[in-house]
Amino acid sequence: MVTRQPTAAAVWRDKKRHLWLLGLVVPTMLFTVLPLVWGLNQLGWHTAAQIPLWIGPMLIYALLPALDLLVGADGQNPPDEVMEQLENDRYYRYATYAYIPFQYASAIFGAYLFTAADLSWLGYPDGLGWLGKIGVAMTTATVAGVGINTAHELGHKRDTLERWLSKITLAQVCYGHFYVEHNRGHHVRVATPEDPASARFGESFWEFLPRSTFGGIRSAWQLEAARIRRTGKNPWNPTTWPGNDTANALAMSVVFWAAMIAVFGLGLLPYLVINAVYGSSLLESVNYLEHYGLVRRKLDNGRYERCTPQHSWNSDHMVTNLFLYHLQRHSDHHANPTRRYQTLRSFDDSPNLPAGYGALIGLTYLTPLWRRLMDHRVLAHYDGDISRANIAPRRREKILARYPVAAP
């Protein structure tokens, strides 16, 4: 009798299947620190009791890097035989949907904490001081900033519900244009000098941030205007705005924050600004590190070569993968943009980051450290020929002089 060996599909199991729910730690963290806040207040340590409200930045800049270091790399890729089954497993999409109500519960509760004059139930003699207020705003902005990744996952899908959920998720950070620009702009122009969201070699994060932010907004309006003109309509006619994805996404932000200010008062304005500015900056710091210095070759016909895994920096650290729905497997994402997060794979031949996104986000702010960490990796990726990289134009001559190409 012949004994049949089990197929890869029969024996493969997603070891992270239930761990994906750890992503809900982020939108619930403001609630989970309340017992600690209450306990510190009972001890009379009212100033110290405001520190746990900074849990958002603590998670991004300390806890995630530490856990990535402790747990290490993921290393598991789904085999081809299970891809279709895994893609159609609705459990994974429900895990992303669940983020959204918790995100908005956190935003509303944070607004209450920010503006409340009486928090005696939490142990404070009155309302929060500015230490606590800013901590709350930074934490809810962190929730919304990580939520942009949820919007990113949903916005790539063809399902109408998921696309609307993407725009709803972006409303808190006033970044609805990302829905249009990322899908129809960035994925077309990625790793080219024309893409505002692809960082150039020698460009600091602080130079990249306004270029990517305002370039992305401008691109989204232009792309959507061009789409509407192709239907024979005037994109600036208000009757077209309900069907304009950039306009209706912006309208969601206006409605949401108008309602919040109506309920909590004008004192909520600093909270709004922190949510929009810091939340969106988290996205842009990730944009910065994902394609730093990488470029697609221009062909003789004037078009760029097809995007491959060589045009994105990859990372396979387990914990940040769980919190960001495999966003770190960015090389596969750009090669297969509609593929759901659970089926994304990590390639050994992709350019790899030295750590997870959690550890690197903070380093993007520190230009000398970032360049010391990454410039030699870009150089190595192009076999010592830095002229092949995507170089910041105003630094091009200086960089080429610093990294001369040896004669063959």
Side-chain angles (χ1 to χ4, degrees):
M1 182 175 67
V2 177
T3 302
R4 291 186 177 180
Q5 294 297 320
T7 65
V11 300
W12 190 87
R13 295 289 183 273
D14 180 7
K15 67 182 181 182
K16 302 189 295 291
R17 181 179 177 85
H18 300 296
L19 295 177
W20 290 114
L21 294 177
L22 288 174
L24 298 180
V25 167
V26 176
T28 58
M29 59 187 170
L30 185 59
F31 300 99
T32 59
V33 298
L34 293 182
L36 177 58
V37 171
W38 181 87
L40 292 171
N41 275 323
Q42 297 311 301
L43 296 172
W45 300 347
H46 300 305
T47 299
Q50 298 181 80
I51 301 299
L53 299 174
W54 288 77
I55 183 61
M58 292 179 195
L59 176 74
I60 294 294
Y61 302 121
L63 296 177
L64 275 183
L67 288 170
D68 267 341
L69 183 64
L70 179 67
V71 176
D74 183 339
Q76 186 189 42
N77 281 333
D80 292 338
E81 293 86 350
V82 305
M83 294 293 272
E84 183 178 357
Q85 175 188 339
L86 199 58
E87 184 85 10
N88 294 325
D89 189 335
R90 289 185 171 269
Y91 164 81
Y92 292 95
R93 66 185 71 180
Y94 295 151
T96 59
Y97 297 173
Y99 191 99
I100 302 168
F102 286 115
Q103 173 186 333
Y104 277 94
S106 178
I108 294 167
F109 182 63
Y112 159 71
L113 291 177
F114 192 90
T115 57
D118 180 6
L119 290 174
S120 55
W121 64 271
L122 198 50
Y124 292 108
D126 37 44
L128 292 175
W130 278 104
L131 175 65
K133 286 176 183 283
I134 296 174
V136 166
M138 293 288 281
T139 292
T140 56
T142 301
V143 174
V146 175
I148 297 176
N149 181 58
T150 305
H152 168 261
E153 170 65 22
L154 298 173
H156 272 292
K157 305 305 174 281
R158 298 184 178 92
D159 184 89
T160 302
L161 171 63
E162 292 181 309
R163 293 188 173 200
W164 277 101
L165 287 175
S166 175
K167 287 188 277 189
I168 289 169
T169 308
L170 293 165
Q172 184 182 341
V173 286
C174 306
Y175 233 59
H177 69 275
F178 174 81
Y179 170 81
V180 172
E181 159 55 20
H182 180 80
N183 293 299
R184 289 193 267 138
H186 174 62
H187 270 265
V188 173
R189 299 181 297 234
V190 62
T192 70
E194 290 81 15
D195 181 31
S198 293
R200 299 159 178 170
F201 185 89
E203 180 180 38
S204 75
F205 170 72
W206 304 108
E207 294 170 304
F208 170 80
L209 179 61
R211 184 173 72 83
S212 182
T213 300
F214 296 112
I217 293 171
R218 181 172 59 251
S219 174
W221 283 99
Q222 290 172 344
L223 287 166
E224 194 62 358
R227 182 188 68 81
I228 292 170
R229 285 193 187 97
R230 287 194 295 271
T231 69
K233 298 177 181 178
N234 179 359
W236 307 116
N237 187 323
T239 61
T240 68
W241 294 352
N244 182 319
D245 284 324
T246 307
N248 59 44
L250 175 62
M252 289 182 187
S253 296
V254 172
V255 170
F256 172 70
W257 285 109
M260 292 280 277
I261 290 171
V263 172
F264 295 106
L266 290 174
L268 194 66
L269 285 173
Y271 179 85
L272 184 166
V273 171
I274 292 171
N275 270 259
V277 173
Y278 180 66
S280 63
S281 78
L282 289 176
L283 163 73
E284 296 299 353
S285 64
V286 169
N287 274 340
Y288 177 78
L289 62 86
E290 284 174 335
H291 305 284
Y292 177 76
L294 301 180
V295 69
R296 287 150 60 196
R297 185 170 52 88
K298 205 165 193 176
L299 305 175
D300 293 339
N301 61 8
R303 304 184 69 175
Y304 288 98
E305 65 178 318
R306 181 180 177 274
C307 185
T308 73
Q310 297 297 312
H311 300 121
S312 304
W313 290 101
N314 212 57
S315 176
D316 203 28
H317 285 73
M318 169 78 87
V319 176
T320 305
N321 265 346
L322 291 170
F323 278 77
L324 296 183
Y325 305 121
H326 270 163
L327 182 66
Q328 296 181 128
R329 293 185 170 185
H330 209 62
S331 297
D332 194 13
H333 168 66
H334 270 281
N336 302 282
T338 61
R339 182 173 285 176
R340 292 189 180 272
Y341 70 93
Q342 66 270 24
T343 61
L344 292 175
R345 293 178 286 192
S346 183
F347 300 112
D348 291 335
D349 61 345
S350 300
N352 274 280
L353 294 167
Y357 286 8
L360 296 177
I361 287 173
L363 284 180
T364 64
Y365 308 153
L366 307 172
T367 303
L369 292 181
W370 172 259
R371 295 200 61 187
R372 178 172 294 185
L373 183 72
M374 288 300 298
D375 282 9
H376 69 93
R377 288 180 164 84
V378 177
L379 188 65
H381 180 67
Y382 289 111
D383 299 319
D385 185 357
I386 203 62
S387 67
R388 294 164 55 195
N390 184 8
I391 301 175
R394 67 192 189 93
R395 291 193 174 88
R396 187 173 185 85
E397 289 186 12
K398 184 177 179 180
I399 287 171
L400 292 178
R402 182 178 179 183
Y403 300 105
V405 181

